[in-house]
Amino acid sequence: MSNSTINLEIEKNNDAMLLAVGKMNRLLDHIEEGGGKKRIEKLHKEGKMTARERIDFLLDEGAARIEVGAFAGYDMYQEHGGCPAGGVVVVIGYVRGRQVIVVANDATVKAGAWFPITGKKNLRAQEIAMENRLPIIYLVDSAGVYLPMQDEIFPDKEHFGRIFRNNAKLSSAGIPQIAAIMGSCVAGGAYLPIMSDEALIVEGTGSVFLAGPYLVKAAIGENADKETLGGAATHSEISGVTDYKMPDDKTCLNTIKDLVDKFGRFDTAGFDRVKPQPPAGKPEDVFEIFPANGAKPYDTLELLRRIVDEGKLTQYKEHYGKTIITAYARIDGWAVGIVVNNRQVVKNAKGEIQFGGVIYSDSADKATRFILNCNQKKIPLVFLHDVTGFMVGTRSEHGGIIKDGAKMVNAVSNSTVPKFSIVIGNSYGAGNYAMCGKAYDPRLIAAWPTAKIAVMGGEQAAKVLTQIQVQSLKDKEHAPDPVAEKELFEKIKARYEAQTTPYYAAARLWVDAIIDPRDTRLWISMGIEAANNAPVEKFNVGVMQV
């Protein structure tokens, strides 16, 4: 390949990634407006800050932060006016140097009402807090359950009520919870701040009660205004339900800072960290390395060197199972074990071609043993997905690919060191499972704008689904002509591919975020720092010994 051809390829890659990141940032800008400028202005007139303004004021200025679930609810609930960011903002950051997770209702989105995705996002925040023993701060400003969808948010195990159960579990585990009532807090939602360790309430805007004035009037005929029923004076001076009465939002947030400043520290898990070093090359080099055409091979090792400290990797079983790279490295000073799909076409010891991004028996075996080693040595695991699945066909089946794949899935499932997943390209089928997809409890899982998550690629899926529909029509003696069959294929393909995008996944919280590839190190580093608060359990691989 000539230099001019290589340079053209690099430019194409760079342009494609810049466009993808640009699209992501434009969508984020719109999402961050919440319910829109008019509703933001209305909050300001009431003397209230927005959810994002509250978080900005609370967190240490200039310190690192990551947002979880910004795309939650994206392009969903359009018949109800939409639900930007799921109506709640979740950020991991620092208060007085202490890492915390903050959950803030966005009152500009249906008055902070809870949609189904709102409940799922709140539960995800609590899950992160529990797994990592991370203090959690709730900034409450919500009208409660969104009644038109109450059947999808109220009664089930993973619905609204689970949040209060988690409040109790967090408390029993000694994980600090602080709640600030900075707006409405109604009905079942009233339990969240009061089941926290300490509750603050803002005068004039904060209120908390099991039933509001209208319901009280309807239920027992009593006339009571909001302040008398459940305002700051009532609960700070009469009922004793809240612990601190605050004159305004800023005083409330400053008081939270003072409370966090006094927290004791947990014993650390003991993950190894040295002084961080920058990676090889420039962070934006990944834009040039990752291909514009996701089906093309690329130098996966060079990509890794742009993520790990000093570009240094110690490969485990470098010459065996080459379609997966397993390596020890450091990311922002933290020791990590990396499992990444090698997207280059390689040859095995027998001289046989193996396709990049496919998991073969030997690569599954290597990854399994590496995962066991990382658990033995208490090294956090980082999975970078660009996988089309396990190798199929007679030869692979006869070679026991199912059993080898099952061993890898077993090792991932039973791994007790914290796991972090970044979906950089494809994440298809059982390959998603083996590479620690959402179902396998990664502490954090993020996607690049180039990610695709599905059972299989759009082309293959569309062919299978088209064949099924065509056969069904033939059985009814209505076989389509070639033109109609092609139209059917294109329609199915378009619908299927729309469901493989990172935006579709992030909207449903299959991933915690879509991130700029240049922020990969930050996500992994902050994730390991959080995980270092929690002890690591003894590892047991289970019945499928390797």
Side-chain angles (χ1 to χ4, degrees):
M1 190 180 291
S2 68
N3 286 337
S4 60
T5 304
I6 292 171
N7 290 336
L8 182 60
E9 199 70 23
I10 288 171
E11 287 179 16
K12 282 183 179 178
N13 294 345
N14 187 62
D15 289 347
M17 188 65 84
L18 284 171
L19 285 170
V21 171
K23 174 186 176 181
M24 177 193 77
N25 286 331
R26 287 192 300 275
L27 290 172
L28 283 173
D29 287 343
H30 182 65
I31 287 168
E32 288 174 5
E33 289 184 353
K37 293 180 180 179
K38 287 185 178 179
R39 290 179 182 171
I40 291 173
E41 289 171 4
K42 183 181 177 184
L43 277 191
H44 288 165
K45 287 177 182 177
E46 294 171 359
K48 295 163 69 173
M49 303 164 76
T50 67
R52 293 183 183 278
E53 288 168 344
R54 287 167 175 167
I55 291 174
D56 287 344
F57 188 87
L58 177 65
L59 295 181
D60 294 348
E61 188 176 355
R65 65 172 71 176
I66 54 178
E67 182 173 347
V68 175
F71 281 99
Y74 172 72
D75 208 23
M76 295 168 65
Y77 313 120
Q78 294 307 311
E79 67 277 21
H80 298 278
C83 187
V88 62
V89 184
V90 176
V91 175
I92 300 174
Y94 300 87
V95 174
R96 299 281 173 88
R98 178 69 178 258
Q99 194 178 44
V100 300
I101 185 165
V102 185
V103 181
N105 299 113
D106 186 349
T108 70
V109 180
K110 291 284 191 294
W114 291 58
F115 283 70
I117 198 66
T118 316
K120 188 173 183 179
K121 186 170 174 179
N122 275 265
L123 291 172
R124 176 60 178 146
Q126 289 181 320
E127 181 182 42
I128 291 169
M130 281 191 275
E131 286 182 330
N132 301 290
R133 298 183 67 80
L134 206 56
I136 185 166
I137 299 168
Y138 307 99
L139 306 181
V140 185
D141 193 347
S142 171
V145 167
Y146 183 60
L147 291 178
M149 303 186 75
Q150 64 85 27
D151 61 320
E152 297 180 49
I153 182 63
F154 170 66
D156 210 346
K157 181 180 178 181
E158 298 301 329
H159 284 178
F160 191 66
R162 185 81 170 180
I163 291 160
F164 315 134
R165 175 263 189 194
N166 288 348
N167 283 139
K169 289 289 187 181
L170 284 157
S171 183
S172 68
I175 300 166
Q177 298 177 87
I178 293 177
I181 302 164
M182 309 181 81
S184 296
C185 190
V186 186
Y191 288 106
L192 184 147
I194 310 312
M195 291 187 73
S196 298
D197 301 317
E198 293 181 284
L200 305 87
I201 187 167
V202 178
E203 291 182 273
T205 56
S207 60
V208 54
F209 31 63
L210 292 180
Y214 295 118
L215 184 54
V216 167
K217 175 66 175 175
I220 63 173
E222 181 184 354
N223 289 309
D225 62 79
K226 189 169 73 170
E227 281 298 310
T228 304
L229 195 60
T234 293
H235 286 310
S236 297
E237 301 169 19
I238 301 172
S239 73
V241 165
T242 56
D243 306 303
Y244 307 90
K245 184 172 70 171
M246 300 284 107
D248 52 46
D249 279 12
K250 289 186 177 180
T251 306
C252 181
L253 297 167
N254 278 326
T255 304
I256 293 173
K257 295 178 190 181
D258 290 337
L259 294 173
V260 173
D261 189 49
K262 312 302 186 298
F263 285 172
R265 299 278 175 176
F266 293 120
D267 293 336
T268 66
F271 303 132
D272 187 66
R273 192 182 197 188
V274 299
K275 184 179 179 181
Q277 300 294 332
K282 305 184 297 294
E284 56 268 24
D285 287 350
V286 296
F287 288 17
E288 299 178 354
I289 296 169
F290 195 87
N293 180 347
K296 285 190 173 183
Y298 57 90
D299 193 332
T300 308
L301 281 171
E302 280 304 307
L303 190 76
L304 279 182
R305 291 189 179 107
R306 301 311 190 273
I307 295 172
V308 304
D309 290 14
E310 300 181 284
K312 289 184 178 179
L313 298 156
T314 302
Q315 287 197 62
Y316 171 79
K317 290 186 180 287
E318 179 180 355
H319 304 291
Y320 175 74
K322 295 180 183 178
T323 63
I324 281 184
I325 295 169
T326 49
Y328 300 105
R330 290 190 183 273
I331 293 178
D332 200 35
W334 295 104
V336 296
I338 298 175
V339 182
V340 58
N341 306 109
N342 185 7
R343 282 304 307 271
Q344 291 189 308
V345 177
V346 298
K347 287 185 180 180
N348 63 16
K350 298 176 183 177
E352 299 167 332
I353 294 291
Q354 292 186 327
F355 300 102
V358 179
I359 303 176
Y360 291 77
S361 285
D362 54 355
S363 48
D365 175 68
K366 176 172 85 170
T368 300
R369 294 177 185 277
F370 182 71
I371 291 165
L372 300 183
N373 283 345
C374 287
N375 275 272
Q376 179 75 12
K377 295 184 281 190
K378 204 156 72 171
I379 300 174
L381 283 159
V382 174
F383 295 83
L384 300 177
H385 299 217
D386 196 352
V387 58
T388 53
F390 285 88
M391 191 59 189
V392 296
T394 305
R395 186 169 182 176
S396 292
E397 298 293 358
H398 290 180
I401 185 65
I402 293 176
K403 188 166 187 180
D404 289 321
K407 287 178 179 178
M408 184 176 173
V409 169
N410 185 43
V412 172
S413 302
N414 286 296
S415 179
T416 56
V417 295
K419 300 165 292 194
F420 302 90
S421 286
I422 309 292
V423 185
I424 65 175
N426 303 318
S427 188
Y428 292 155
N432 173 274
Y433 301 161
M435 292 296 293
C436 194
K438 184 64 182 291
Y440 291 80
D441 298 323
R443 296 294 179 94
L444 293 173
I445 177 169
W448 287 5
T450 46
K452 292 183 178 181
I453 302 171
V455 172
M456 63 181 75
E459 188 86 16
Q460 302 96 309
K463 285 179 180 177
V464 171
L465 292 169
T466 302
Q467 288 169 11
I468 292 170
Q469 290 200 26
V470 167
Q471 187 58 52
S472 176
L473 290 168
K474 284 180 179 178
D475 292 343
K476 297 173 184 175
E477 298 182 352
H478 295 299
D481 59 51
V483 174
E485 186 172 332
K486 188 174 187 304
E487 287 177 354
L488 178 62
F489 168 78
E490 292 297 338
K491 183 180 178 180
I492 292 172
K493 181 183 174 186
R495 185 179 71 241
Y496 189 90
E497 287 188 339
Q499 296 176 356
T500 70
T501 69
Y503 299 101
Y504 192 90
R508 290 153 182 80
L509 289 173
W510 300 346
V511 295
D512 292 318
I514 306 172
I515 64 171
D516 186 320
R518 293 168 292 193
D519 290 334
T520 302
R521 281 169 55 88
L522 172 66
W523 268 77
I524 294 168
S525 177
M526 287 190 67
I528 298 174
E529 182 182 348
N532 203 32
N533 291 314
V536 176
E537 298 174 9
K538 183 180 178 182
F539 177 69
N540 186 346
V541 76
V543 296
M544 293 190 65
Q545 303 297 326
V546 293

